[in-house]
């Protein structure tokens, strides 16, 4: 899947489940350069084991079932039959004793403390231990991340940062140990100067994978503050906005330039011609070749 970057979250940062012989790995995010999230899809066979504390928070989405899962030991042991779409949440820095009662297809996500703090305005978050919980948004985000690693495109880096922030925010606010609910406040938007700086950076780096952290830095905000305020200002996520800019530039170059469609695609941040064609058809209902012919 490529060469790992410095600072990437990897298999060594997980609790150890994925290294066991009862795991049949399918795909994972190794080599994609994700710093605050590690995602893996696999089939698990029945097992009972204990694992040492890990530095990351573990979220396991059940793709099929129902299957019986137990966690803890002695009087603290709990068991539950978990349906498809249910999930298992285990906070960082806690030992894990778990038993899986049947074969199961899963998506694992391992999140850093930093991702949770970013989603909670810099404040530390203590997550709850959950067994068989359901949350439609968590499920959809996990399935979307599964799709991203199955069809990875380098241009999706901003999108992955956005998904990571959304997942961390959902866990931080609705699956925290204290279960506090705070009133929702409509976020204020970016100032015109902030928005101008962010757009200028997007336009300068259309051809590159662009982490949300870089965009947030241009606005002098944390990632969580930036994401909320950017959406309040534009009505779009940073990924959606960046994608629109890339498509607009691609259309301009196709209408007025002589570069090949493949060259236009790469210069506008798409991985290759087929990637541009797929996105343009889905978003604009046309193709690069048709745009070029229309001139």
């Amino acid at each position: 899947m490529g060469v790992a970057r410095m600072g990437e979250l990897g298999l060594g940062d997980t609790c150890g489940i994925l290294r066991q012989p009862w795991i049949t790995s399918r795909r994972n995010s190794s080599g994609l350069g994700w710093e605050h999230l590690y995602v893996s899809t696999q089939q698990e066979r029945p097992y009972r084991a204990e694992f040492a504390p890990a530095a990351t928070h573990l979220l396991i989405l059940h793709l099929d079932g129902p299957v019986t899962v137990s966690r803890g030991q002695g009087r603290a042991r709990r068991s539950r039959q978990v349906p498809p779409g249910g999930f298992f949440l285990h906070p960082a820095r806690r030992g894990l004793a778990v038993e899986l009662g049947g074969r199961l297809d899963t998506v694992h996500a391992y999140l850093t403390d930093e991702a949770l703090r970013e989603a909670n305005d810099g404040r530390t978050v203590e997550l709850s231990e959950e067994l068989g919980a359901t949350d439609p948004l968590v499920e959809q985000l996990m399935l979307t991340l599964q799709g991203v690693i199955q069809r990875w495109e380098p241009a999706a880096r901003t999108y992955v940062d956005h998904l990571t922030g959304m997942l961390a925010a959902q866990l931080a606010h609705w699956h925290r140990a204290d279960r506090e609910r705070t009133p929702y406040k409509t976020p204020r938007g970016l100032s015109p100067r902030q928005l101008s700086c962010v757009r200028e950076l997007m336009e300068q780096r259309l051809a590159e994978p662009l982490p949300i952290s870089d965009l947030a830095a241009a606005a002098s905000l944390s990632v969580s503050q930036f994401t909320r305020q950017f959406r309040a200002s534009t009505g779009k996520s940073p990924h959606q906005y960046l994608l629109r800019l890339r498509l607009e530039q691609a259309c301009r170059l196709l209408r007025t330039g002589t570069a090949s469609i493949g060259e236009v695609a790469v210069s506008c941040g798409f991985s290759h011609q087929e990637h541009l064609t797929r996105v343009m058809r889905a978003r604009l209902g046309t193709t690069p070749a048709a745009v070029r012919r229309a001139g």
Side-chain angles (χ1 to χ4, degrees), residues 130-162:
E130 301 198 11
L131 176 59
T134 57
D135 181 324
L137 181 55
V138 167
E139 180 181 5
Q140 187 56 53
L141 289 168
M142 291 285 280
L143 292 174
T144 303
L145 286 163
Q146 177 194 29
V148 169
I149 62 173
Q150 287 175 341
R151 298 177 296 276
W152 173 247
E153 303 281 358
R157 175 61 188 271
T158 312
Y159 184 42
V160 169
D161 286 349
H162 179 62

Side-chain angles (χ1 to χ4, degrees), residues 54-162:
T56 50
H57 305 276
L58 167 60
L59 179 64
I60 303 175
L61 176 70
H62 289 215
L63 297 178
D64 53 15
V67 64
T68 299
V69 179
S70 302
R71 72 182 304 161
Q73 296 177 313
R75 294 183 178 179
R77 180 179 170 88
R78 293 185 296 141
S79 297
R80 185 168 180 183
Q81 191 174 64
V82 181
F87 65 85
F88 180 103
L89 179 60
H90 188 74
R93 293 174 297 280
R94 297 187 193 177
L96 173 61
V98 61
E99 181 176 0
L100 177 65
R103 287 182 176 269
L104 181 66
D105 288 333
T106 60
V107 182
H108 285 213
Y110 297 82
L111 274 169
T112 64
D113 270 335
E114 185 174 347
L116 287 175
R117 286 195 301 270
E118 280 283 0
N120 197 44
D121 293 330
R123 298 188 300 271
T124 299
V125 180
E126 182 182 353
L127 295 180
S128 61
E129 292 185 358
E130 301 198 11
L131 176 59
T134 57
D135 181 324
L137 181 55
V138 167
E139 180 181 5
Q140 187 56 53
L141 289 168
M142 291 285 280
L143 292 174
T144 303
L145 286 163
Q146 177 194 29
V148 169
I149 62 173
Q150 287 175 341
R151 298 177 296 276
W152 173 247
E153 303 281 358
R157 175 61 188 271
T158 312
Y159 184 42
V160 169
D161 286 349
H162 179 62

